[in-house]
Amino acid sequence: MRPLRLRRAALAAALSSITALAGPVLPARAAGTPSAVLDRDHQNVTWQSPQYAKGTLGGANSCPPAAQDPDGAVCARFDLTVNVPAGYWNDNPEGGVPLSVQWQNPTDDFDLYVFDAAGKQVASSAGTADPEATVIPKASGTYHVLVVPYDVHGGSFTGRAYLPQTADAGDLTSFSGGQGSYDIGAGSLKAKVDFLADDQLRLRAAPDGVLTDPAGSTIIRKQPELQPRTWSVDTGAYYAVHAHDLVLRVYKHPLRFGLYRADDRTAIWQEDAPLRWSTGGLRQSLRRGAEEQFFGGGEQNGSFSHRDQTVHVANSTDWNEGGYNNSQPFYVSTAGYGVFRNTFAPGTYDFGSPVRTGQQERRLDAYYFTGDVKKVIGQYTALVGKPFMPPVYGLEPGDSDCYLHNANRGERHTLDAVKIADGYVQQQMPLGWMLVNDGYGCGYENLPQTGTGLRKDHAQLGLWTQNGLPNQAEEVKAGVRVRKLDVAWVGNGYDFALNACDQAKAGIEDNSDARGFVWLPVSWAGAQRCGVLWSGDQSLSWDYIRWQIPTYAGATMSGIAYDTGDVGSIFRRDPKMYTRDLQWKAFLPAIMTMDGWARDMSGKQQRDQQPWLDGEPYTSINRKYLQLKERLLPYMYTLSAEATRTGIGAVRPLALEYPDDPAALGPDAKYEFLAGPDFLVAPVYSDTSVRNGIHLPPGTWTDYWTGRTYQGPTTINDYAAPLDTLPLFVRGGAIVPMWPKGTLSWESRDRGELDYDLYPSERGSSTYTLYEDDGVSRQYAGGASATQRVDVHANPVVTTVKVGASEGSYTGKPQARSYRFTVHGQGAPSFVATDDGPLPQLDSAAELDAADSGWYHDEATGLTEVKTAKVSTDHGFSLHLIH
């Protein structure tokens, strides 16, 4: 088991018991339970716990009921009553009562849980940070604080809570500067504005006048250069600082900021109130546009659009809907700007009216980007790190289990992993990599032999760790090419997780010619440059499938190109739900199954998670979608290369590609997504064989399975979706590269053939550029890659497909290959020809498979398939379908 991860999801335990208090005391609500009040007369409270000789090695549910622990010998309890006026938290930067426990011994681990009067958990901190700290959001009433001495050795803690007080920036008292940099004062508050290239600026402010940079170079590796060509004008009410396409207004009475277009009339963003700070926080307040929408915040479980929502940006280990374990201090607005807070402090972003965003620190360090949503995401990721380029096997399915010293399964051996990999081969299901241990007492043996055995099945060896990477060089040399960092090591999040991710990726690359491929469940801004973010431990349900859909699409809006969850979850197995979950996750770039921890839905029978274990019809359906995922790897791999340039990942909310379609923000579109620009995926997330509320945005869309076309915008109801059918639609004009039918591995694929699925527009042109490299080494970074452009032009007389030469080179590039085109949505052509003349018409798909070249039209499906002879990749050619 993974006890540290399990304890983070622990639910409410018995509440009440002990601790010794220093500070204001209320009558105890239960015998032995100390208590305190925070109100106008009592601004803070401190209390001291007993000494604990040992820990519980569990979560909140490891604590006995209060009556059985009256002296707090096992767990510490404290009642806190917060008495504040109505509206107190509406404009408070900290948004609630900060609460912390400071350990006596740095090596001790006390975990903190807070429950309201009804017993609902409202806050927690269960990492390995010192101190453990959290915020009771909008606190009012009585709360029960439970502190679990998880792993201690004779230690105690000091508890603290306070009621934040606020102050605002006053009038402008100083303004100076030039050449792209300006210094601003308002009494003790000092601020600095730096104009950066590409219409960006950085605004820093500190109430005590001391500008600091706690994040240093951890998030931003290299600070952008100043844009020196700026000038300022005193307009009377404000100073107008002009840059290339921007004007920053610095208002005088009181000090406020506003960013405008070059005309100094069109607002991009405008503060509606001065900067406000509190005991331990600072917020900015902005006017909100009538139709303004907000995205970002990193991974926000269950949502992608945040207007009228409050988003938490912090280290969280709530793996379920509402959690934010891979959050990022960044958001983007449809008003034409985005903001990144250069900090490791937690934050709360309220996208109401006005928009109030704050971090838990008395400083502001914000980078402002301007442009449309895609441009802003690109600027943000250029600052913190573009998404990494994965190895091609990283886009194939992964499998994970503990094979050595597994308490759930009895004694096994690391080499037993190879038997599972053999099963994938026997079942004709792709497998790209395997994690063969879990770190929590599950080590490994015979690592080189295990790696060799996996590679014979075209799978790479991976390890996960709970406590660091002390043997990384040796393990990589033994064949390790994949790393997963578990929460016991990176659970502190923030800079800790980011450094660990960078370290794990570098460890693979420093000791081999491979690309680092790292997974982690807790992260921060910049993690997109080094890892796949994974939403943590969940239990299977229809809701589990539902809320993950907007989660991963929404993460893309923060430049996170790889965000995913366990296929079928980790803790439960149900054949139908597993199959439904696998179907749509086949359109995520990165997926894996987690074996060895699941049970059936009754919780009684242990179940593994391989996709063939439920028998028919589930095995065949799972095989169908995994093989489709494998065939689509050229498409997904090209999207990965695109992400390294643009910051935009493959999984996208409809609002990103169709910003002018109001329904793209509606309730129907929330539970569907785009895989790249071309595939619209509408997962089935309930126990039904009919899918309602499928929104298709403007344009022509073709049902992938039936060939039926729809003209958007429209909504489809009563769509027939039996268990083997994922509602899937393809954009008109799409050009989709695919590997040949029957491909099971990137390594064993037929490199002498490349397929294209074509969806020509009735009257129009479309283009696509394929990206290729060797798939595994880092030579691509030095230019060892190739691109090939395909153009399709259609009219009522002829459809012309122009395939350009493959430009560039890389190790293993085929010198020649044949092409197979599947043309959708058109009638049978009269004849088909290449530059060398007509191709023979054949009577069946089987004849086409056996022939060197030719074409075949299937009246039943309406598809036309064309196969060319082998063509040098150094030369282009044209194909003509004459109607």
Side-chain angles (χ1 to χ4, degrees):
M1 295 294 290
R2 291 177 282 178
L4 193 60
R5 297 174 62 188
L6 295 176
R7 69 186 172 94
R8 297 172 186 282
L11 299 176
L15 302 171
S16 35
S17 230
I18 118 115
T19 20
L21 171 70
V25 181
L26 293 179
R29 296 182 179 274
T33 302
S35 60
V37 64
L38 290 176
D39 59 15
R40 184 180 62 182
D41 299 321
H42 306 94
Q43 301 294 322
N44 59 77
V45 62
T46 302
W47 73 96
Q48 187 67 39
S49 79
Q51 291 281 327
Y52 292 96
K54 61 180 182 178
T56 65
L57 291 179
N61 56 358
S62 299
C63 299
Q68 299 176 18
D69 189 23
D71 299 321
V74 180
C75 297
R77 294 171 174 84
F78 183 75
D79 283 357
L80 180 67
T81 297
V82 182
N83 185 8
V84 293
Y88 184 89
W89 300 114
N90 288 352
D91 195 14
N92 188 294
E94 294 175 77
V97 169
L99 183 70
S100 66
V101 293
Q102 179 80 44
W103 310 341
Q104 179 185 16
N105 302 322
T107 57
D108 288 342
D109 183 357
F110 289 89
D111 292 341
L112 174 64
Y113 301 87
V114 182
F115 305 86
D116 64 16
K120 179 183 177 182
Q121 183 176 313
V122 295
S124 68
S125 180
T128 54
D130 183 14
E132 291 285 1
T134 189
V135 172
I136 307 174
K138 297 184 178 180
S140 180
T142 297
Y143 298 88
H144 307 288
V145 180
L146 180 68
V147 181
V148 183
Y150 175 74
D151 185 13
V152 302
H153 309 86
S156 65
F157 68 85
T158 300
R160 293 183 176 87
Y162 66 86
L163 200 60
Q165 305 299 301
T166 63
D168 293 342
D171 289 345
L172 182 74
T173 55
S174 63
F175 177 88
S176 63
Q179 300 295 307
S181 185
Y182 296 83
D183 295 305
I184 299 159
S188 63
L189 180 140
K190 304 299 180 187
K192 190 175 187 66
V193 177
D194 293 328
F195 286 82
L196 311 172
D198 201 18
D199 294 329
Q200 303 176 40
L201 63 88
R202 181 186 187 188
L203 172 61
R204 287 176 283 172
D208 62 1
V210 180
L211 299 177
T212 60
D213 186 4
S217 61
T218 304
I219 304 176
I220 302 171
R221 299 281 187 77
K222 183 181 179 181
Q223 289 289 346
E225 294 183 359
L226 287 176
Q227 179 183 329
R229 300 179 66 179
T230 62
W231 67 98
S232 63
V233 177
D234 187 345
T235 70
Y238 59 87
Y239 286 94
V241 184
H242 293 257
H244 182 258
D245 288 323
L246 302 174
V247 174
L248 179 71
R249 291 185 180 183
V250 183
Y251 294 91
K252 300 179 180 179
H253 307 292
L255 172 63
R256 288 172 296 122
F257 299 93
L259 189 64
Y260 285 70
R261 303 292 181 196
D263 60 8
D264 195 20
R265 293 187 180 91
T266 307
I268 300 173
W269 57 261
Q270 170 65 60
E271 290 185 342
D272 79 314
L275 293 176
R276 169 170 286 190
W277 57 89
S278 61
T279 312
L282 185 147
R283 70 99 179 96
Q284 184 179 45
S285 183
L286 303 178
R287 296 174 186 167
R288 190 182 74 175
E291 303 296 330
E292 189 175 1
Q293 302 291 334
F294 304 89
F295 312 100
E299 179 194 301
Q300 297 288 329
N301 289 348
S303 67
F304 77 89
S305 179
H306 308 314
R307 182 181 170 94
D308 292 322
Q309 304 296 318
T310 296
V311 168
H312 295 281
V313 177
N315 180 27
S316 167
T317 49
D318 179 356
W319 310 125
N320 298 303
E321 188 169 16
Y324 40 90
N325 44 298
N326 285 301
S327 58
Q328 297 193 1
F330 164 80
Y331 74 89
V332 56
S333 161
T334 56
Y337 76 95
V339 187
F340 162 63
R341 295 290 185 88
N342 182 34
T343 180
F344 286 114
T348 301
Y349 299 174
D350 182 347
F351 294 111
S353 182
V355 174
R356 291 167 172 158
T357 59
Q359 309 294 146
Q360 298 293 319
E361 59 183 2
R362 281 169 55 99
R363 59 184 287 273
L364 173 70
D365 188 352
Y367 289 77
Y368 298 85
F369 317 98
T370 57
D372 63 22
V373 171
K374 284 188 175 182
K375 181 181 178 183
V376 166
I377 294 171
Q379 292 172 329
Y380 166 57
T381 52
L383 187 69
V384 304
K386 294 290 187 188
F388 73 101
M389 185 65 185
V392 65
Y393 51 77
L395 302 183
E396 295 178 317
D399 190 286
S400 308
D401 203 351
C402 164
Y403 288 93
L404 188 67
H405 311 310
N406 187 328
N408 287 340
R409 304 291 303 279
E411 190 60 26
R412 295 187 298 176
H413 299 282
T414 307
L415 279 168
D416 290 332
V418 178
K419 300 174 185 176
I420 300 298
D422 292 344
Y424 278 90
V425 174
Q426 293 159 8
Q427 292 291 332
Q428 294 187 303
M429 295 182 179
L431 176 69
W433 50 278
M434 289 189 72
L435 302 172
V436 300
N437 73 322
D438 74 354
Y440 292 89
C442 177
Y444 58 77
E445 60 188 6
N446 302 318
L447 201 61
Q449 296 92 328
T450 303
T452 298
L454 292 179
R455 286 191 295 275
K456 290 179 180 178
D457 287 332
H458 308 296
Q460 296 293 323
L461 174 64
L463 296 175
W464 74 45
T465 179
Q466 73 169 99
N467 56 6
L469 298 166
N471 304 312
Q472 190 160 214
E474 183 178 315
E475 290 166 344
V476 171
K477 290 174 182 176
V480 171
R481 296 294 181 268
V482 183
R483 285 285 184 187
K484 188 167 84 65
L485 315 181
D486 220 322
V487 77
W489 184 30
V490 300
N492 288 343
Y494 309 123
D495 58 332
F496 197 84
L498 189 56
N499 286 330
C501 184
D502 286 333
Q503 178 187 344
K505 184 173 185 290
I508 294 173
E509 296 183 351
D510 290 346
N511 295 284
S512 73
D513 64 353
R515 304 172 198 175
F517 189 58
V518 181
W519 286 54
L520 68 163
V522 178
S523 62
W524 197 245
Q528 48 266 72
R529 70 190 182 219
C530 59
V532 174
L533 308 185
W534 152 72
S535 60
D537 291 348
Q538 295 107 7
S539 291
L540 184 61
S541 68
W542 291 113
D543 261 357
Y544 167 77
I545 298 173
R546 174 190 57 79
W547 65 254
Q548 288 193 338
I549 301 165
T551 299
Y552 307 136
T556 300
M557 306 301 266
S558 294
I560 298 171
Y562 308 98
D563 195 16
T564 189
D566 300 334
V567 174
S569 85
I570 177 176
F571 291 130
R572 288 290 183 265
R573 175 83 176 205
D574 172 84
K576 184 182 293 186
M577 282 190 275
Y578 180 96
T579 295
R580 285 298 197 193
D581 197 41
L582 183 146
Q583 283 174 1
W584 75 272
K585 284 180 176 169
F587 286 84
L588 301 183
I591 60 171
M592 70 170 168
T593 60
M594 294 289 263
D595 310 307
W597 293 270
R599 295 182 179 274
D600 63 14
M601 299 304 286
S602 72
K604 296 178 181 179
Q605 183 180 355
Q606 195 275 331
R607 297 294 308 274
D608 277 353
Q609 298 276 42
Q610 280 83 31
W612 62 83
L613 297 179
D614 294 314
E616 297 299 343
Y618 310 104
T619 297
S620 294
I621 299 171
N622 295 338
R623 180 185 297 116
K624 166 184 170 180
Y625 285 94
L626 290 177
Q627 289 189 3
L628 177 58
K629 177 178 177 61
E630 190 72 18
R631 289 198 68 202
L632 285 170
L633 279 187
Y635 177 76
M636 281 294 184
Y637 196 68
T638 297
L639 289 170
S640 290
E642 177 185 312
T644 66
R645 301 188 304 272
T646 67
I648 307 296
V651 182
R652 306 170 185 181
L654 272 61
L656 180 62
E657 296 292 339
Y658 298 91
D660 297 326
D661 179 7
L665 291 166
D668 290 339
K670 181 176 182 177
Y671 297 111
E672 55 192 51
F673 65 95
L674 297 167
D678 297 316
F679 288 94
L680 188 150
V681 185
V684 177
Y685 53 88
S686 62
D687 190 4
T688 180
S689 59
V690 175
R691 178 63 153 86
N692 291 313
I694 301 174
H695 175 69
L696 301 181
T700 301
W701 296 89
T702 299
D703 186 317
Y704 187 80
W705 310 112
T706 68
R708 179 180 175 182
T709 59
Y710 299 83
Q711 193 64 37
T714 189
T715 298
I716 303 173
N717 291 311
D718 299 320
Y719 180 91
L723 185 61
D724 67 344
T725 302
L726 168 72
L728 181 64
F729 303 85
V730 188
R731 181 185 61 85
I735 301 171
V736 181
M738 303 181 77
W739 284 338
K741 293 178 181 178
T743 299
L744 297 176
S745 168
W746 71 276
E747 198 169 25
S748 62
R749 73 185 188 274
D750 181 358
R751 299 170 189 260
E753 178 183 330
L754 181 64
D755 297 355
Y756 277 98
D757 252 16
L758 306 179
Y759 294 81
S761 300
E762 287 186 7
R763 296 178 182 270
S765 300
S766 54
T767 186
Y768 177 84
T769 301
L770 174 73
Y771 172 87
E772 298 175 288
D773 60 31
D774 66 24
V776 292
S777 81
R778 301 192 301 281
Q779 294 179 15
Y780 76 93
S785 62
T787 58
Q788 186 174 38
R789 176 169 168 160
V790 178
D791 293 280
V792 177
H793 178 77
N795 62 46
V797 177
V798 60
T799 296
T800 298
V801 181
K802 184 178 180 180
V803 179
S806 177
E807 299 180 356
S809 64
Y810 58 88
T811 302
K813 178 181 175 179
Q815 297 302 305
R817 60 188 171 200
S818 64
Y819 295 84
R820 186 158 180 162
F821 301 93
T822 301
V823 184
H824 297 254
Q826 296 184 332
S830 300
F831 67 94
V832 177
T834 66
D835 300 333
D836 295 328
L839 297 177
Q841 182 178 3
L842 304 174
D843 293 329
S844 68
E847 286 188 22
L848 187 64
D849 291 339
D852 290 333
S853 64
W855 66 276
Y856 165 70
H857 181 79
D858 188 334
E859 291 292 345
T861 63
L863 300 180
T864 300
E865 294 197 55
V866 182
K867 184 178 181 182
T868 73
K870 285 198 172 184
V871 181
S872 169
T873 53
D874 291 334
H875 298 92
F877 68 94
S878 294
L879 178 72
H880 309 279
L881 286 77
I882 310 300
H883 306 308

